Amino acid sequence: MFTIKDVAALANVSPSTVSRVLSNSPRISEETKERVRRALEELDYHPNVFARGLVTNTASSIGVFIPPGMREFFVNPFFSEMMSGVSEVAGRAGFDIVLSTSAQDEEDAVDRMIRGRRVDGLILLGSRDNDPVLEKVALYSFPAVLLGRPARDGAISFVNNDNVQAAYEATMHLILLGHEKIGFLGGAFNLIVTIDRLTGFRKALFESGISSSPQMEISSVFLEQGGYQGMMHLLALPTRPTAVLASDDVLAFGAMRAAGELGYQLPDDLAIIGFNDIRLAELANPPLTSVRVHMHELGAAATEMLVGQIHESTLGVQSKIVESELVIRKSCGFQRANQMPPSYQDRVD
Amino acid sequence: MFTIKDVAALANVSPSTVSRVLSNSPRISEETKERVRRALEELDYHPNVFARGLVTNTASSIGVFIPPGMREFFVNPFFSEMMSGVSEVAGRAGFDIVLSTSAQDEEDAVDRMIRGRRVDGLILLGSRDNDPVLEKVALYSFPAVLLGRPARDGAISFVNNDNVQAAYEATMHLILLGHEKIGFLGGAFNLIVTIDRLTGFRKALFESGISSSPQMEISSVFLEQGGYQGMMHLLALPTRPTAVLASDDVLAFGAMRAAGELGYQLPDDLAIIGFNDIRLAELANPPLTSVRVHMHELGAAATEMLVGQIHESTLGVQSKIVESELVIRKSCGFQRANQMPPSYQDRVD
DNA sequence: TTGAAAGCGCTAACAA
DNA sequence: TTGTTAGCGCTTTCAA
């Protein structure tokens, strides 16, 4: 393992000259550059990232932070798709990706990342009420972008969908189909994403004169099993829902399994809408109507914003909303054309 | 941002003493330890990972390397499930995870990781013929574990399924069901995993006296679309297959979509078996028969092995085979009981 | 049981 | 255009 000194010795220059060649400084003659480059080549030199990081105080990597309580998120297709977006732009910008894993304690985990100077910026997932991670990040004014909506506006840069609106439209779709008993299947109620989608859901019910009931609003873990159990609850209700808005496709799949086991036929006995539009939504039985949130783009946009923040270190709070759209398939049955608002017409698959 | 010096000053000791307290050296009196700890607390001190790494020559992180040509793997549920296993044991062992992203050139990417001392060990994915990454790793005798089988035995530690046997059994299942025209849908043919599964597939055909034909063996990208296109090819053949072994569930889903579009009914017109048994296999229409490879366990086992190698730096080449099993669902129809080898009997879902 | 000093590999003033 | 020097924050001899 050769160091910059070895290269310097071989090329008959000082270490700083090698360093300058490495960063392609214009103040070095082509002649010496060439000589140094040959030495670099000959020794197959690669810089020690830590030594460089120590002096420049940069890590050339960005961290992706999943709250320890949300590890199930790891196996959600949303995560992979989003990560492919993150990876794409991070790679292009020359950043590696560090996944925070260790530490039970999330404060610890984020401290390791930020204060340990392990990363130059953070992509934050799983926005919650009173998120301690957001506090930390704000405290150190560390470059970070939230994938989701912060509880308090202006607290941090973020990239998000308009979840209230999306849930509203999805619910309206159900209502226009004639449903009046509609259930909501969400993740933890302290997650902002759950809150927003629930808000849109309730708004649609309210505007349509349908009374909402707490029993119809289920919270569960973000797993297929969560959807399954939640759906079992809903179907056991004295007056069961005839339609369900699931806050995640994986939840929707669980719900479909529960319904199937109990002998309900989709879409005749029951309508289900999911969220995210993961690749397999189309392949479900029946193909799942779902809100396409453009996961890859979400990850890419967040990373782009983050890279921007890292480079021009004072950019203030930015935000971006990525459009979403309801992709109508077969899990809710057909609407009569005259029931559809015009904007829906061209979206039917 | 406080350094060890600040803590030392506050506690009225030397920096080296603080360092000793940090590593809980036994040669420091409880008294000073207490004093230093209070200072640590008060300043909310966190060590600079790079400074520490520079002197100890460790990164306390492990890298996961995906060949640049296999980025589609990112969105395969196999990857997430495997990563959840990696993350679990890496976290427990105090390692962060670094995802290699940048650099088009994979040699470059792996150099950055290894020679740049960014990680202490590597989990390698996507084993191929003449894998240049394996060469590098061997060259520097860098701790690494391959998730898959190396092309040459003894070249590197690895964790794998017995893919030949698994594919053999899956194909036999099809043959016992009465199929004689069986297609194979795989990833790139230079991937060891494809080669092994194809080998098992051919072996089953051969032993059953069924002649194999190159046209029945399709290679495509590891995406749902790949499976779709591959299946379209197979179904367009003069004598189409009545059954297909897909080397990945995602491929199988694509195949199912193609079959569905063309009006074939599963399992009556066509039988399909997938590989991996991702969570959604059970939810497909019909539920997909698939080889369960225990993705999470694969990732966990590989990471455990890697952590072992990192700690006792000379452990030689190890390997581990994780058992797999065929999970029989509805995508291949029912076998008559007397057609089943006894070992299958208790596996029917 | 503690401190002083050197050095990990690199970059960046400051000089020349 | 290049070299000298100092120092990033930490660990680890070596001395005391």
Side-chain angles (χ1 to χ4, degrees):
Chain A
M1 198 86 359
F2 297 104
T3 73
I4 208 168
K5 275 188 191 163
D6 301 311
V7 178
L10 182 62
N12 249 304
V13 293
S14 73
S16 39
T17 299
V18 177
S19 175
R20 290 191 186 102
V21 173
L22 249 19
S23 60
N24 201 19
S25 156
R27 321 181 319 179
I28 300 284
S29 72
E30 269 313 316
E31 201 183 322
T32 28
K33 270 189 184 172
E34 209 28 68
R35 198 148 36 89
V36 170
R37 287 205 183 105
R38 266 203 307 278
L40 251 13
E41 189 77 14
E42 187 172 335
L43 299 183
D44 191 20
Y45 169 84
H46 280 265
N48 181 313
V49 189
F50 286 3
R52 177 178 284 172
L54 185 55
V55 24
T56 61
N57 219 358
T58 59
S60 60
S61 60
I62 65 172
V64 174
F65 189 82
I66 310 171
M70 288 194 64
R71 285 299 149 70
E72 68 268 15
F73 198 57
F74 233 105
V75 294
N76 194 307
F78 178 93
F79 179 71
S80 328
E81 295 277 353
M82 182 219 72
M83 283 303 290
S84 84
V86 172
S87 156
E88 188 183 305
V89 353
R92 220 186 303 123
F95 290 87
D96 281 325
I97 297 172
V98 175
L99 253 33
S100 98
T101 52
S102 43
Q104 319 293 43
D105 182 352
E106 65 182 313
E107 311 241 1
D108 246 52
V110 78
D111 270 334
R112 279 190 56 169
M113 294 269 217
I114 299 185
R115 325 252 351 240
R117 298 243 144 249
R118 177 176 277 285
V119 298
D120 299 318
L122 238 25
I123 304 254
L124 269 18
L125 264 23
S127 174
R128 296 149 294 172
D129 255 356
N130 302 113
D131 196 329
V133 176
L134 295 198
E135 316 261 307
K136 283 253 168 188
V137 157
L139 180 62
Y140 304 124
S141 49
F142 193 76
V145 173
L146 177 68
L147 194 3
R149 186 178 67 78
R152 296 179 301 101
D153 227 52
I156 189 176
S157 292
F158 67 92
V159 173
N160 199 21
N161 301 115
D162 185 343
N163 282 313
V164 176
Q165 179 64 15
Y168 172 83
E169 285 179 18
T171 310
M172 281 311 276
H173 177 67
L174 258 11
I175 292 171
L176 288 174
L177 250 19
H179 294 281
E180 298 193 334
K181 306 299 290 180
I182 307 178
F184 178 87
L185 214 47
F189 277 153
N190 68 328
L191 292 177
I192 302 292
V193 63
T194 307
I195 295 172
D196 282 357
R197 290 176 184 173
L198 185 54
T199 302
F201 169 78
R202 285 176 178 164
K203 182 167 163 240
L205 294 193
F206 179 78
E207 286 189 7
S208 310
I210 300 174
S211 65
S212 67
S213 110
Q215 296 167 353
M216 285 291 220
E217 298 166 356
I218 304 272
S219 162
S220 64
V221 288
F222 259 129
L223 290 171
E224 201 265 342
Q225 287 96 312
Y228 177 87
Q229 285 159 13
M231 192 58 164
M232 283 299 185
H233 270 279
L234 285 174
L235 290 174
L237 252 27
T239 57
R240 70 159 179 96
T242 62
V244 168
L245 178 67
S247 175
D248 189 292
D249 284 348
V250 170
L251 256 26
F253 283 127
M256 285 170 75
R257 181 161 63 92
E261 278 186 18
L262 262 28
Y264 293 97
Q265 295 293 323
L266 266 63
D268 299 335
D269 303 329
L270 205 54
I272 296 182
I273 294 186
F275 248 94
N276 290 356
D277 193 31
I278 64 177
R279 295 179 187 220
L280 267 12
E282 191 173 359
L283 301 162
N285 174 30
L288 183 68
T289 291
S290 183
V291 178
R292 179 175 295 166
V293 300
H294 301 283
M295 304 165 282
H296 179 96
E297 193 185 338
L298 242 17
T303 310
E304 233 141 47
M305 191 178 285
L306 182 60
V307 169
Q309 307 229 15
I310 291 170
H311 285 147
E312 4 238 305
S313 48
T314 58
L315 228 44
V317 170
Q318 301 171 281
S319 69
K320 172 170 182 175
I321 299 295
V322 173
E323 292 298 315
S324 62
E325 67 261 1
L326 187 65
V327 178
I328 298 175
R329 300 207 178 83
K330 307 254 189 311
S331 62
C332 305
F334 302 102
Q335 321 178 267
R336 267 165 286 150
N338 59 8
Q339 280 187 334
M340 284 191 261
S343 62
Y344 282 68
Q345 303 248 18
D346 50 8
R347 294 210 197 139
V348 179
D349 255 9
Chain B
M1 197 86 2
F2 296 106
T3 75
I4 210 169
K5 274 186 191 163
D6 302 311
V7 178
L10 182 60
N12 247 305
V13 293
S14 73
S16 36
T17 300
V18 176
S19 175
R20 291 190 185 102
V21 173
L22 248 19
S23 60
N24 202 18
S25 156
R27 319 182 320 180
I28 299 284
S29 72
E30 267 314 316
E31 201 183 323
T32 27
K33 271 191 185 173
E34 208 28 68
R35 197 146 37 89
V36 170
R37 288 207 181 104
R38 265 203 306 279
L40 251 12
E41 187 78 15
E42 186 171 337
L43 298 183
D44 191 19
Y45 170 83
H46 281 264
N48 180 314
V49 188
F50 286 2
R52 176 177 287 173
L54 185 55
V55 22
T56 61
N57 219 358
T58 59
S60 61
S61 59
I62 66 173
V64 174
F65 188 81
I66 309 171
M70 290 195 61
R71 284 300 150 67
E72 66 268 17
F73 196 58
F74 233 104
V75 294
N76 193 307
F78 178 94
F79 179 72
S80 329
E81 295 277 353
M82 182 220 71
M83 283 302 290
S84 84
V86 172
S87 155
E88 189 183 303
V89 354
R92 221 187 300 122
F95 290 87
D96 281 326
I97 296 171
V98 176
L99 253 33
S100 99
T101 53
S102 42
Q104 320 290 44
D105 183 354
E106 65 183 313
E107 313 241 1
D108 245 54
V110 78
D111 269 334
R112 278 190 55 170
M113 292 270 218
I114 299 185
R115 323 253 349 244
R117 299 241 143 253
R118 178 176 274 287
V119 299
D120 300 316
L122 237 27
I123 303 254
L124 268 20
L125 264 23
S127 174
R128 294 148 296 170
D129 257 354
N130 304 112
D131 196 329
V133 176
L134 295 197
E135 317 261 307
K136 283 254 168 189
V137 157
L139 179 63
Y140 305 124
S141 50
F142 194 76
V145 173
L146 176 68
L147 196 3
R149 185 177 68 77
R152 296 178 302 100
D153 226 54
I156 189 175
S157 293
F158 68 92
V159 172
N160 199 21
N161 301 115
D162 185 343
N163 281 313
V164 177
Q165 179 64 16
Y168 172 82
E169 286 180 17
T171 310
M172 281 310 276
H173 176 69
L174 258 9
I175 293 171
L176 289 173
L177 249 19
H179 294 281
E180 298 193 334
K181 306 300 290 180
I182 308 178
F184 178 86
L185 214 48
F189 278 152
N190 68 329
L191 293 177
I192 303 293
V193 63
T194 307
I195 295 173
D196 283 357
R197 289 176 184 171
L198 186 54
T199 302
F201 169 78
R202 285 176 177 164
K203 183 168 164 236
L205 294 192
F206 179 78
E207 285 189 8
S208 311
I210 301 174
S211 64
S212 68
S213 112
Q215 296 167 354
M216 285 291 220
E217 298 167 355
I218 304 272
S219 162
S220 64
V221 289
F222 260 129
L223 288 173
E224 200 265 342
Q225 287 96 311
Y228 176 88
Q229 285 159 13
M231 192 59 165
M232 283 297 184
H233 270 278
L234 285 174
L235 291 174
L237 253 26
T239 57
R240 70 158 180 96
T242 62
V244 168
L245 178 67
S247 175
D248 189 292
D249 285 347
V250 170
L251 255 26
F253 283 128
M256 287 170 75
R257 181 161 63 92
E261 277 186 17
L262 262 29
Y264 294 96
Q265 294 294 323
L266 266 61
D268 299 335
D269 303 328
L270 205 55
I272 295 182
I273 295 186
F275 248 95
N276 290 356
D277 193 32
I278 64 176
R279 295 180 187 219
L280 266 14
E282 191 174 359
L283 300 162
N285 173 32
L288 183 68
T289 290
S290 183
V291 179
R292 180 175 296 168
V293 300
H294 300 284
M295 305 165 281
H296 179 96
E297 192 185 338
L298 241 18
T303 310
E304 234 141 47
M305 190 179 285
L306 182 61
V307 168
Q309 307 228 17
I310 291 170
H311 285 148
E312 5 237 304
S313 49
T314 59
L315 228 44
V317 170
Q318 302 171 281
S319 68
K320 172 170 183 175
I321 300 295
V322 173
E323 293 298 315
S324 63
E325 68 260 359
L326 186 65
V327 178
I328 298 175
R329 299 207 178 83
K330 306 253 190 308
S331 62
C332 304
F334 302 102
Q335 321 179 267
R336 268 164 287 148
N338 59 7
Q339 280 187 334
M340 283 190 262
S343 63
Y344 282 69
Q345 302 248 17
D346 50 8
R347 294 209 198 141
V348 179
D349 257 12

